[in-house]
């Protein structure tokens, strides 16, 4: 099975790892990584996002051991628009979080318009932080939690 997944992934955290794990359980994975132009548009609130090349290197380092553990292949491609790569015929499934579920529905509408089969939509729920709220990159950057969801009240916000 060919699985699509997309995001900014900055910084990578346990919520992202849950998405990656599910994707590799299903098949070979293609990750659409938001371009430098698209990344700020996907944020719910403005914040600094590391350059594409830095995010790509971190993502590759994260995906390599998961791919090996599942005996799968992966590819990272630039995502220039929100519906991106998943509208291509090669994919069978898409892995999404509750935040991106509506995007997957839109992708399936576009696929239908193009005469393509809909993607199997795999919804992976949020991973809760220590305080019960979801882990998010924004909360990590604010210094509220670390990448594993542990509360970090004495931590200063990341400047990565």
């Amino acid at each position: 099975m060919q699985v699509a997944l997309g995001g900014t992934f900055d910084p990578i955290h346990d919520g992202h790892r849950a998405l990656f794990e599910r994707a590799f359980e299903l098949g070979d994975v293609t990750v659409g990584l938001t371009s430098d132009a698209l990344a700020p548009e996907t944020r719910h609130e403005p914040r600094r996002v590391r350059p594409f090349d830095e995010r790509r290197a971190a993502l590759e380092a994260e995906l390599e051991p998961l791919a090996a553990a599942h005996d799968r292949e992966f590819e990272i491609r630039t995502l220039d628009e929100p519906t991106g790569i998943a509208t291509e015929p090669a994919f069978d499934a898409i892995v999404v979080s509750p935040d991106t579920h509506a995007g997957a529905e839109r992708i399936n509408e576009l696929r239908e318009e193009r005469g393509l089969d809909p993607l199997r939509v795999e919804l992976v729920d949020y991973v809760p932080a220590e305080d019960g709220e979801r882990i998010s990159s924004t909360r990590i950057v604010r210094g509220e939690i670390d990448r594993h969801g542990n509360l970090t009240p004495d931590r200063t916000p990341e400047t990565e």
Side-chain angles (χ1 to χ4, degrees):
M1 181 177 288
Q2 295 297 316
V3 183
L5 169 64
T8 301
F9 307 115
D10 184 47
I12 295 171
H13 54 69
D14 286 357
H16 295 139
R17 289 181 188 99
L19 294 170
F20 303 152
E21 185 70 36
R22 183 63 185 134
F24 282 116
E25 287 171 0
L26 294 170
D28 292 329
V29 177
T30 300
V31 179
L33 182 63
T34 56
S35 66
D36 287 335
L38 181 60
E41 295 178 25
T42 64
R43 309 281 31 105
H44 296 293
E45 60 184 71
R47 69 169 173 83
R48 181 182 183 278
V49 174
R50 291 183 301 161
F52 179 86
D53 290 341
E54 290 179 32
R55 291 182 289 121
R56 181 187 177 95
L59 181 59
E60 195 167 86
E62 192 71 37
L63 296 177
E64 283 174 351
L66 285 171
H70 290 277
D71 195 27
R72 304 286 192 186
E73 300 290 322
F74 76 90
E75 178 183 9
I76 300 171
R77 293 180 43 199
T78 306
L79 195 62
D80 290 311
E81 57 185 68
T83 55
I85 61 172
T87 57
E88 296 173 9
F91 296 102
D92 305 300
I94 186 167
V95 175
V96 297
S97 69
D99 269 358
T100 56
H101 189 263
E105 297 303 323
R106 176 67 185 134
I107 286 165
N108 274 340
E109 289 171 8
L110 290 171
R111 289 177 66 88
E112 184 179 340
E113 288 171 11
R114 296 173 185 176
L116 300 173
D117 290 335
L119 296 176
R120 171 177 165 182
V121 178
E122 285 289 316
L123 178 63
V124 176
D125 205 0
Y126 296 125
V127 174
E130 184 179 7
D131 61 2
E133 298 296 318
R134 73 183 178 110
I135 296 175
S136 73
S137 297
T138 300
R139 292 190 70 202
I140 294 165
V141 170
R142 282 190 200 141
E144 298 172 21
I145 58 173
D146 67 15
R147 295 168 197 247
H148 304 291
N150 300 306
L151 295 175
T152 55
D154 299 326
R155 202 164 142 246
T156 56
E158 292 183 358
T159 56
E160 300 180 345

